[in-house]
Amino acid sequence: DAGVIQSPRHEVTEMGQEVTLRCKPISGHNSLFWYRQTMMRGLELLIYFNNNVPIDDSGMPEDRFSAKMPNASFSTLKIQPSEPRDSAVYFCASRQGGHPNNEQFFGPGTRLTVL
Amino acid sequence: DAKTTQPNSMESNEEEPVHLPCNHSTISGTDYIHWYRQLPSQGPEYVIHGLTSNVNNRMASLAIAEDRKSSTLILHRATLRDAAVYYCILRRTGANSKLTFGKGITLSVRP
């Protein structure tokens, strides 16, 4: 089992550029979560999907952030335009359906640096 | 949402038991108690969860107070690999409820 796969693992970009983060959930999992972690704010949930449908995007900071899940095996988080305050580690997690207490499996994260 | 309170940090010795406390005095009857941990430079990983009864699994034990206002995560024999940030999280019952991570407790393990 490959676990949750995220790419890229590191991204360095300049302010104003578009950034796209990618996630492949564990096969068979039907819930997918995007989190952001910074020293100041800790680990925050940005958005999550059930069966490819966004359920709660209240954590998405502003319109510069968007997330899609075109199919059960792929999701993207896009930031456009990026700003230095977006620098953080972005985690994707997936969970098998059946019960919301089922554990979430986290990917290794993407470390984003916006200069 | 009910909140949890954890100490900022704790130290333990290798191969000794560790008791990580969590206070949740405003917990409701439908809140589940979840524990996750985050090893350095990794994503969080699930440890254990419970509602009212104590729970055991291969990683740890969860002891829940009778009034449910506090709980304790027990690592029976700490190893160096257990050094991590441990998060105590309340999850409200509901299909679309989510996990809200706090600051957690940083566990250091001395060899």
Side-chain angles (χ1 to χ4, degrees), chain A residues 1 4 6 9 15 17-18 21 25-26 37 41 44 49 56 72 74 77 90 93-94 102 113:
Chain A
D1 187 351
V4 176
Q6 293 188 246
R9 294 293 309 278
M15 182 174 64
Q17 296 297 306
E18 176 181 303
L21 311 181
I26 293 172
Q37 187 170 37
R41 300 176 65 89
E44 306 171 279
F49 297 82
D56 185 344
F74 184 65
L77 178 67
Y90 290 81
S94 70
N102 289 348
T113 302

Side-chain angles (χ1 to χ4, degrees), chain A residues 15-44:
Chain A
M15 182 174 64
Q17 296 297 306
E18 176 181 303
V19 174
T20 299
L21 311 181
R22 297 172 176 80
C23 175
K24 177 178 170 55
I26 293 172
S27 177
H29 286 193
N30 67 345
S31 296
L32 184 139
F33 307 80
W34 282 101
Y35 291 86
R36 177 175 68 175
Q37 187 170 37
T38 62
M39 288 294 293
M40 290 295 293
R41 300 176 65 89
L43 192 62
E44 306 171 279

